[in-house]
């Protein structure tokens, strides 16, 4: 595997560092697949990274050659969302098109709508293409993410649970550890099992666990729940605030 990774890195360098796009679906809910001979493609690198992260989280030793070879490749993408669709202005324009209602019903505009409320409603600095993980090869690219203050959101979680502020209230001026949070928009068909309702499919759950093993929180955003909120900004902001508090807490 390490030799195949090194061969892929050499191929990327020969192509000017751009590399191949791979078979598609390397980080999305549905996933991609198909084995290929020779150097590993981007989707295979992501699957290998995912396996390495989960094994390490369970205490399994990893040969040093594997992280070193992964470090020579671009970070694998987890919980991907098309950055174009995640742009609020682009989504607002798309909603005005004849197919806008259909696109919204399919959840295609949900990432952008959520990004807009995270920025404008909650005042969070949303990033695109952030890298999770330390150096040494076990790194993953996250399409949409933001940082939160753990102390601040612990107080929000306590208030939501009916505990009041009490000891959860941060001292004035106090700041907690900054915690990165990945936004994961999920639709019923490709991300959730039919039975029991609400259970993530294995491939999606593995990506969530892998990011959590890197110290990240994951904010799952089911499309059906988002659509049920309607278009009101206040309802969407309250929903996101509760989901973030639950994810960080």
């Amino acid at each position: 595997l390490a030799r195949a990774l090194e061969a892929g890195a050499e191929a990327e360098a020969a192509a000017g560092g751009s590399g191949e796009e791979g078979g598609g679906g390397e980080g999305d809910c549905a996933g991609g697949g198909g084995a290929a001979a020779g150097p590993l493609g981007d989707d295979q690198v992501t699957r290998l990274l995912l396996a390495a992260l989960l094994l390490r989280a369970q205490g399994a030793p990893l040969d040093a050659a594997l992280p070193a070879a992964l470090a020579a490749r671009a970070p694998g993408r987890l919980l991907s969302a098309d950055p174009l669709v995640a742009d609020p202005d682009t989504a607002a324009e798309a909603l005005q098109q004849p197919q806008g209602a259909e696109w919204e019903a399919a959840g295609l505009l949900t990432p952008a709508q959520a990004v807009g409320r995270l920025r404008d409603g909650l005042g969070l600095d949303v990033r695109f293409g952030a890298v999770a993980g330390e150096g040494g090869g076990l790194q993953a690219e996250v399409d949409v993410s933001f940082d939160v203050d753990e102390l601040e959101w612990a107080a929000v979680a306590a208030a939501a649970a009916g505990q009041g502020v009490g000891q959860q209230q941060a001292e004035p001026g106090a700041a907690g550890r900054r915690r990165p949070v990945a936004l994961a928009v999920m639709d019923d068909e490709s991300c959730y099992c039919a039975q029991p309702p609400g259970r993530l499919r294995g491939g999606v759950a593995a990506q969530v666990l892998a990011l959590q093993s890197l110290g990240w929180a994951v904010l799952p955003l089911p499309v059906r729940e988002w659509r049920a909120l309607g278009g009101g900004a206040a309802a969407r902001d309250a929903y996101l605030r509760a989901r973030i508090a639950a994810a960080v807490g």
Side-chain angles (χ1 to χ4, degrees), residues 87-183:
D87 177 68
D89 294 334
T90 302
E93 294 176 4
L95 191 57
Q96 303 306 315
Q97 301 302 313
Q99 305 93 334
E102 181 180 345
W103 293 336
E104 184 176 33
L108 297 179
L109 307 184
T110 300
Q113 293 169 343
V115 167
R117 295 320 309 159
L118 288 168
R119 284 177 172 173
D120 301 335
L122 277 62
L124 296 170
D125 182 17
V126 180
R127 304 187 306 271
F128 296 99
V131 175
E134 74 286 351
L138 297 186
Q139 295 181 317
E141 182 180 345
V142 182
D143 279 350
V144 183
S145 63
F146 52 91
D147 290 344
V148 297
D149 184 291
E150 286 191 323
L151 278 179
E152 175 185 348
W153 286 92
V156 173
Q163 300 173 5
V165 289
Q167 296 182 350
Q168 295 288 341
Q169 177 69 45
E171 294 293 332
R177 182 171 71 98
R178 301 296 294 178
R179 180 86 177 273
V181 182
L183 174 66

Side-chain angles (χ1 to χ4, degrees), residues 39 56 60 65 93 115 127 132 155 160 163 168 171 188 219 228-229 234 236 241 243:
R56 188 181 67 172
E93 294 176 4
V115 167
R127 304 187 306 271
Q163 300 173 5
Q168 295 288 341
E171 294 293 332
D188 285 342
L219 168 60
L229 296 171
R236 288 179 170 180
R241 193 173 288 107
R243 298 290 286 192

